Amino acid sequence: MVKGERVFNFSAGPSVLPLEVMEKVAAELTNYEGCGMSVMEMSHRGKIFDKIIKDAEANLRKLMNIPDNYKVMFLQGGGTMQFSMVPLNFMQNNRKADYIVTGSWAKKAAKEAKKYGDVKIVASSEESTFSYIPKVTREDFRSDADYVYICLNNTIYGTKFPYIPDTGDIPLIADMSSNILSEEIDVTKFGAIIAGAQKNVGPAGATIAIVREDLIGHAHPMCPVYLDYKIHADNGSMYNTPPCFAIYVAGEVFKYLLDMGGVKAIEEKNKRKAAKLYDYIDSSRLYKGCVEKEDRSLMNVVFVTGNPDLDKKFIAEAAEEGLVSLAGHRSIGGMRASIYNAMPEEGVDALISFMKKFEENNI
Ligand SMILES: Cc1ncc(COP(=O)(O)O)c(C=O)c1O
């Protein structure tokens, strides 16, 4: 790798963004569309930013086919703040919620929700280091639960729900921080979708909440104003100063994705990239995948050599070749290649070539 050149960045988040988008942002950084100032400098109440945020919302609606009876909000606070907003807003009737715990993020979300009501962990794969997605049916949920919560893609462990749980009339709330816009999903299956932007959407700082209208407006009386979805929905995400620059970059990513052919086109590319990498891992004598095949994530590919020292050597040598941020999450070690939308197919090809070479030299 030539020093100073762009690398193939496999970081789990914040993560690689489309180069075309960043080049456009760089070109208009100090003077947005000839208005004489940067998006970072302008009032969020002005006409220019008003168009930026409205276009971003419209384009996200187009990309995800979001029906009119869902509100789209651009918030701050990351995925973590959603762990509090969800119970504060959606424990509406019985103060009961059912959680499926498929990884650390869902576990954290459940722990937070316990502060506000009666939380039941209806299924968990923690006993096997979250290496699979439990199968649940409608009967597993309490009929008087106010909502069911899942984390659709588990960034740390590299699993993804291969199915959308059937919760009957109980609203299903899903954290899609690490797989939003990676494949087509039917928004109507969810009461709310929440996602931090810093993986498939844009820079850290913006958080997306897509919430069915009838679930808005019933927040806990003690709910802080900023954490009430109604406040943001009624004010078009402009109750206070929104994360303007992050929303602007997200909006540029949305335009870029639409130009690419929308989510269907990206999904095909993502499936191709993930299949290549998993096929190689399965055929290799050195590397092992860590999760059930049917539950594998398209976005976060987790693997090990079985020898922690060799894993470290792998990560260091890969970085020397411009393949960076391949270390697994600090809680589990091993390797994790996050291959979000913006990871070019050549990045996956380069990783596989490196893996083959490393295997030959170390087996
Ligand atoms: C699936 C998922 N949910 C929630 C979070 C927490 O997001 P944040 O760091 O924006 O609070 C993460 C972070 O990586 C994540 O991967």
Side-chain angles (χ1 to χ4, degrees):
M1 186 214 155
V2 181
K3 198 166 176 356
E5 267 188 13
R6 276 183 66 80
V7 292
F8 286 121
N9 168 17
F10 295 91
S11 167
S15 338
V16 56
L17 288 173
L19 186 57
E20 292 90 325
V21 169
M22 284 190 296
E23 284 172 344
K24 180 164 186 279
V25 168
E28 56 195 27
L29 190 70
T30 58
N31 191 350
Y32 177 74
E33 291 189 346
C35 77
M37 59 185 156
S38 171
V39 176
M40 285 186 278
E41 303 171 298
M42 64 180 61
S43 165
H44 61 294
R45 306 276 173 209
K47 272 200 184 115
I48 303 171
F49 188 74
D50 188 60
K51 179 161 169 20
I52 289 174
I53 193 168
K54 288 205 171 110
D55 286 352
E57 176 178 337
N59 287 333
L60 181 62
R61 283 184 178 276
K62 241 186 254 169
L63 280 166
M64 292 181 68
N65 202 12
I66 301 172
D68 289 345
N69 65 324
Y70 284 74
K71 294 286 188 191
V72 173
M73 289 159 259
F74 295 103
L75 310 171
Q76 309 201 38
T80 301
M81 200 171 76
Q82 294 305 306
F83 300 165
S84 318
M85 283 180 82
V86 164
L88 278 164
N89 284 268
F90 302 142
M91 280 185 171
Q92 300 180 346
N93 299 311
N94 305 313
R95 314 212 66 73
K96 283 186 178 179
D98 287 356
Y99 277 66
I100 303 179
V101 173
T102 51
S104 308
W105 298 116
K107 194 175 170 184
K108 284 188 173 160
K111 187 174 174 207
E112 183 66 11
K114 276 183 189 159
K115 293 180 185 166
Y116 304 105
D118 169 2
V119 167
K120 181 177 176 199
I121 310 297
V122 289
S124 166
S125 48
E126 188 166 14
E127 85 291 346
S128 87
T129 328
F130 300 116
S131 64
Y132 70 99
I133 300 291
K135 297 199 174 36
V136 293
T137 62
R138 202 190 277 207
E139 292 68 44
D140 293 315
F141 305 115
R142 295 179 292 183
S143 58
D144 58 349
D146 289 324
Y147 64 87
V148 172
Y149 182 99
I150 60 172
C151 179
L152 206 63
N153 185 79
N154 298 283
T155 327
I156 296 176
Y157 301 93
T159 59
K160 180 191 75 143
F161 271 79
Y163 70 101
I164 306 293
D166 173 9
T167 58
D169 292 336
I170 310 171
L172 178 61
I173 314 295
D175 177 356
M176 297 193 197
S177 292
S178 50
N179 70 330
I180 189 167
L181 295 170
S182 66
E183 58 183 326
E184 289 189 307
I185 55 132
D186 178 357
V187 172
T188 65
K189 295 245 183 329
F190 301 90
I193 292 168
I194 54 172
Q198 65 271 23
K199 298 162 201 300
N200 264 341
V201 172
T207 307
I208 292 170
I210 302 165
V211 185
R212 214 174 64 207
E213 268 170 357
D214 60 290
L215 297 174
I216 297 176
H218 315 278
H220 189 285
M222 288 293 285
C223 181
V225 65
Y226 191 86
L227 303 194
D228 186 345
Y229 290 119
K230 184 168 166 48
I231 292 289
H232 299 288
D234 288 353
N235 290 281
S237 302
M238 297 272 225
Y239 174 72
N240 68 333
T241 314
C244 302
F245 192 75
I247 292 169
Y248 150 65
V249 181
E252 293 300 324
V253 171
F254 299 154
K255 284 184 209 161
Y256 165 86
L257 295 179
L258 282 169
D259 287 348
M260 264 183 67
V263 177
K264 197 167 177 45
I266 301 147
E267 175 174 343
E268 277 164 27
K269 184 178 153 207
N270 286 335
K271 285 188 170 156
R272 224 171 30 238
K273 287 188 300 186
K276 268 187 196 178
L277 190 46
Y278 284 123
D279 285 351
Y280 170 62
I281 290 170
D282 290 343
S283 71
S284 124
R285 284 186 298 144
L286 181 62
Y287 310 104
K288 280 172 279 302
C290 302
V291 302
E292 289 297 323
K293 285 189 184 169
E294 63 182 31
D295 301 333
R296 283 171 161 176
S297 166
L298 284 182
M299 298 282 98
N300 311 99
V301 178
V302 173
F303 58 97
V304 293
T305 63
N307 171 349
D309 290 333
L310 201 53
D311 290 351
K312 278 200 195 99
K313 186 170 176 231
F314 177 99
I315 293 156
E317 288 184 12
E320 278 167 27
E321 302 217 0
L323 306 165
V324 308
S325 296
L326 281 162
H329 190 266
R330 59 189 187 280
S331 60
I332 56 167
M335 276 80 75
R336 170 175 52 175
S338 293
I339 50 173
Y340 296 118
N341 286 352
M343 171 57 65
E345 212 156 333
E346 305 86 74
V348 175
D349 293 338
L351 174 61
I352 294 172
S353 299
F354 170 78
M355 288 171 78
K356 285 183 180 160
K357 194 175 70 179
F358 187 85
E359 175 166 353
E360 278 161 24
N361 295 338
N362 289 280
I363 200 117

